[in-house]
Amino acid sequence: MHGGRGPAVLFIHGLGSSGYMEWRRNLETTAARHHVLAPDLPGYGRTDKPRARYTVPFFARFITRYMRDRGLRSAALVGASLGGRVALEVALEHPTLVRSLVLVNTLGFGRPKVQMTQMAYGLVTVPRVGEAVMRFARGALDWAPPNVIRRVVARYAGSSSNLQTTLDDEYLADLREMYAADEFHSAYLSTIRSLVRPQALFGGHHDVTRRLSELKIPVQLIWGANDPLFPVAHAARAQAMIAGSRLKVIEGAGHTPQAERPEEFNRVLHDFLD
């Protein structure tokens, strides 16, 4: 997705999402003053789903190629969760491409807080079990009542907002469409299996806190206060290590403040971009 005129702002979605799903409440207002781009990462949404190892460096290479193919010399990168970690990878490896960074409940600032609900991520790393879980999820999206689906998704995300609005019928339809593709199942499982490894769970591998001092660009951290996976302490640690960075904690939001509290999120985002 893309549109608008002005300085380029590139949005990078997180795990199990897409550009048009993740940022559905943020793109239009941003496009009023900026040229916005919100691609689907390979394997997700409506883009190509090649047989590949889906890793953070793989996604970062896609973003750099995407920017260069469109003649973008630099852009502000806005990334959520896994997308934030991808944005960090691009900024650290190709600093001239990134004008500024907005990191939303981002992976890479410490050991994830794994609770019972999040144990499912470990479950899908098991061969055959993961494939069976994905098939079950696809079926459940078709037969389970919408409000049940909303409650399950909200529990993973720590969301306490109006679920009928945050996870509306259009979002559920997009989710069903994505889960219908076997190739998405393969891409999702490959991504999870590259992330949920012993060294990742114990703080290594994807943790980039030791490199945060290398960032010499404006950085805005936006965090949902009730994120069950990446607590606010992660954001506070990152802010302390990135010179001149800002942190906004959005109360009443979980892992996806851009969807749960879009008005406040957009206000913080636009103040920073402007």
Side-chain angles (χ1 to χ4, degrees), residues 19-134:
Y20 55 90
M21 293 164 65
E22 188 88 81
W23 309 107
R24 61 196 180 281
R25 303 188 187 281
N26 320 113
L27 297 178
E28 187 175 347
T29 57
T30 309
R33 301 178 68 170
H34 299 85
H35 176 44
V36 301
L37 305 100
D40 296 341
L41 293 173
Y44 294 81
R46 295 168 183 151
T47 194
D48 292 340
K49 299 170 178 60
R51 293 182 65 85
R53 289 191 67 244
Y54 288 81
T55 63
V56 168
F58 173 76
F59 292 130
R61 288 193 296 271
F62 167 80
I63 292 296
T64 58
R65 190 166 58 246
Y66 179 91
M67 292 179 67
R68 287 169 174 154
D69 287 350
R70 282 150 187 81
L72 295 178
R73 293 185 176 182
S74 69
L77 299 191
V78 183
S81 192
L82 171 63
R85 179 62 182 81
V86 173
L88 275 167
E89 188 85 358
V90 176
L92 290 168
E93 300 302 326
H94 304 279
T96 59
L97 288 178
V98 184
R99 187 173 68 251
S100 60
L101 268 179
V102 179
L103 303 172
V104 186
N105 292 72
T106 288
L107 164 72
F109 299 147
R111 180 180 173 182
K113 186 178 179 182
V114 181
Q115 300 174 344
M116 285 304 294
T117 307
Q118 284 73 39
M119 288 299 286
Y121 288 125
L123 187 65
V124 300
T125 65
V126 180
R128 298 187 183 175
V129 174
E131 284 74 7
V133 169
M134 293 299 288

Side-chain angles (χ1 to χ4, degrees), residues 177-224:
E177 177 192 340
M178 190 160 66
Y179 268 80
D182 289 338
E183 295 85 358
F184 163 69
H185 293 201
S186 298
Y188 181 88
L189 291 172
S190 177
T191 308
I192 285 282
R193 288 164 178 166
S194 78
L195 295 173
V196 184
R197 297 160 66 179
Q199 60 265 51
L201 288 176
F202 288 98
H205 196 52
H206 298 295
D207 192 321
V208 288
T209 48
R210 70 189 185 282
R211 296 192 63 188
L212 293 179
S213 61
E214 297 174 30
L215 295 171
K216 307 300 181 185
I217 54 176
V219 176
Q220 172 75 63
L221 298 141
I222 307 178
W223 228 261

